[in-house]
Amino acid sequence: MAIVYFENRFVEEEEAKISIKTNSFHYGTAVFEGIRAYYNREEDTMYGLFFKEHYQRLFQNMRILNMEIEETVDELVDITAELVKKNNHKEDVYIRPIVYFADLAIGPKLIGYKAKIAIYTLPLGDYIDTNKGIKAKVSSWTRLNDNMIPPRLKVTGAYVNSAMAKTEALLNGADEAIVLNQKGYVAEGSAENIFIVRNGKLITPPVSEDILEGITRNAVMDIAKDIGIPVIERSISRTELYVADEVFFCGTGAQISPVVEIDQKKIGNGEVGPITKKIKDIYFDAVRGKIEKYRHWVIPIK
Ligand code: PMP
């Protein structure tokens, strides 16, 4: 039986139930995170990846929605490590903290309600393929913008947009969607940020382009700089995807996921490109605590 964190304590999953009247369930106003912890087999140790950064982003999002909870960022980092320990995981896991307005009340608003946090873990290998390269489709759905439902906000309501795009991609034989923003520039995947490679340089949309400010995106930029690959944050047009040498998605769930085909056009030679591969290999070692330079990304859970 899994242990989860619910209403300020660790309980059996069976006990962690919310009412059908829960306010955020109706109005899409819960903010959440997707975090990973990785199992290092040689050391028999779980490593928590970017725990603090995820909770800092959660608190930024809570601020936008006027949410306050009793736990602090540092306490949540400890609680999350404890939760991984209590569940005796010896495999890669995904961790889902979610903050919601727990009031049993009608009305879409962001004042006068009490927020609470729940956290659970689940074993998760690849969310999308990270080896052979995936097929993506530019979506007919447009990315939300900052004056609607801010994409910066990892809020449940925003994932209607992601779900529409992802479903359309799947129904059309692709693995993942690429969504354009209202200006028509490339924003991101349904649940990942995107990078393209052109002439040995990495290019990714800036945070003003209606994207989630991804934590993996930052990690990729750090790796690229460390191996001498220039990173440029600028707008990317749709057809630039088609002529890119390499394309990949990144995210906590997606990790580093090479894209080898977009809208039925091969990217580069249709195989995983060398820069993508290099960054991916470094990332997968770093998240398991195997690279000294990136040890600050992870905490060993003992
Ligand atoms: N964009 C969206 C829409 C996402 O849901 C995610 C996953 N959290 C990302 C990008 C990647 O963000 P991160 O690297 O922080 O997981």
Side-chain angles (χ1 to χ4, degrees):
M1 176 59 71
I3 304 290
V4 303
Y5 185 76
F6 182 67
E7 301 195 329
N8 314 101
R9 60 199 182 95
F10 296 105
V11 295
E12 298 278 347
E13 185 184 337
E14 281 297 294
E15 286 176 48
K17 296 268 173 13
I18 58 164
S19 164
I20 59 166
K21 294 182 177 174
T22 304
N23 182 267
S24 279
F25 175 54
H26 293 261
Y27 302 109
T29 52
V31 290
F32 64 102
E33 276 302 321
I35 312 177
R36 271 189 187 265
Y38 285 92
Y39 182 52
N40 181 319
R41 196 166 298 279
E42 298 82 58
E43 294 176 26
D44 190 23
T45 303
M46 294 292 294
Y47 279 96
L49 178 65
F50 294 127
F51 277 11
K52 190 155 187 164
E53 289 79 357
H54 281 282
Y55 283 112
Q56 282 168 338
R57 183 170 69 188
L58 184 71
F59 274 62
Q60 279 180 15
N61 289 340
M62 283 161 48
R63 183 182 315 164
I64 300 174
L65 296 191
N66 298 326
M67 291 172 141
E68 279 178 19
I69 55 172
E70 286 163 31
E71 298 84 349
T72 63
V73 166
D74 288 338
E75 283 167 357
L76 287 168
V77 168
D78 292 345
I79 287 166
T80 304
E82 189 61 32
L83 187 63
V84 170
K85 222 187 315 181
K86 281 188 187 302
N87 282 294
N88 293 317
H89 291 299
K90 284 189 190 298
E91 61 205 317
D92 298 348
V93 294
Y94 192 71
I95 303 159
R96 168 54 53 80
I98 185 160
V99 178
Y100 57 99
F101 287 122
D103 299 68
L104 312 186
I106 290 287
K109 61 183 172 76
L110 305 168
I111 45 170
Y113 296 143
K114 171 97 185 84
K116 290 187 180 169
I117 185 164
I119 314 172
Y120 72 91
T121 63
L122 81 159
L124 185 70
D126 280 359
Y127 165 74
I128 45 178
D129 177 79
T130 58
N131 290 311
K132 63 183 194 321
I134 65 167
K135 297 178 185 168
K137 180 187 185 313
V138 174
S139 188
S140 71
W141 294 94
T142 302
R143 190 75 182 123
L144 300 160
N145 82 35
D146 200 56
N147 292 313
M148 298 174 178
I149 299 177
R152 172 170 292 102
L153 207 52
K154 203 167 162 57
V155 63
T156 50
Y159 282 79
V160 174
N161 185 245
S162 293
M164 292 290 204
K166 176 87 180 188
T167 304
E168 181 189 57
L170 293 174
L171 290 176
N172 283 279
D175 306 294
E176 188 50 273
I178 297 171
V179 272
L180 309 180
N181 62 22
Q182 279 194 305
K183 290 180 284 182
Y185 291 117
V186 173
E188 57 185 339
S190 72
E192 320 61 36
N193 291 113
I194 191 166
F195 283 84
I196 68 172
V197 177
R198 292 196 77 185
N199 304 318
K201 298 189 180 85
L202 271 188
I203 308 168
T204 197
V207 294
S208 51
E209 209 76 275
D210 292 321
I211 63 168
L212 185 80
E213 295 184 9
I215 290 165
T216 320
R217 177 180 179 275
N218 284 341
V220 165
M221 294 203 269
D222 284 349
I223 293 173
K225 282 172 198 155
D226 289 344
I227 57 176
I229 297 171
V231 182
I232 305 163
E233 292 177 76
R234 64 151 174 85
S235 301
I236 298 173
S237 305
R238 175 179 188 160
T239 51
E240 210 179 350
L241 295 170
Y242 303 151
V243 297
D245 303 322
E246 303 178 31
V247 176
F248 63 90
F249 287 122
C250 70
T252 305
Q255 307 171 103
I256 309 290
S257 178
V259 179
V260 293
E261 192 183 302
I262 300 175
D263 293 346
Q264 277 138 33
K265 295 182 209 326
K266 269 188 192 166
I267 302 305
N269 63 4
E271 282 170 18
V272 178
I275 292 181
T276 305
K277 182 162 186 333
K278 204 163 177 186
I279 290 172
K280 187 176 82 118
D281 289 348
I282 295 171
Y283 182 80
F284 279 109
D285 278 344
V287 298
R288 289 190 171 75
K290 293 183 183 174
I291 302 182
E292 197 49 45
K293 196 194 282 175
Y294 303 116
R295 284 289 283 206
H296 62 281
W297 291 6
V298 294
I299 47 166
I301 299 173
K302 293 220 163 108

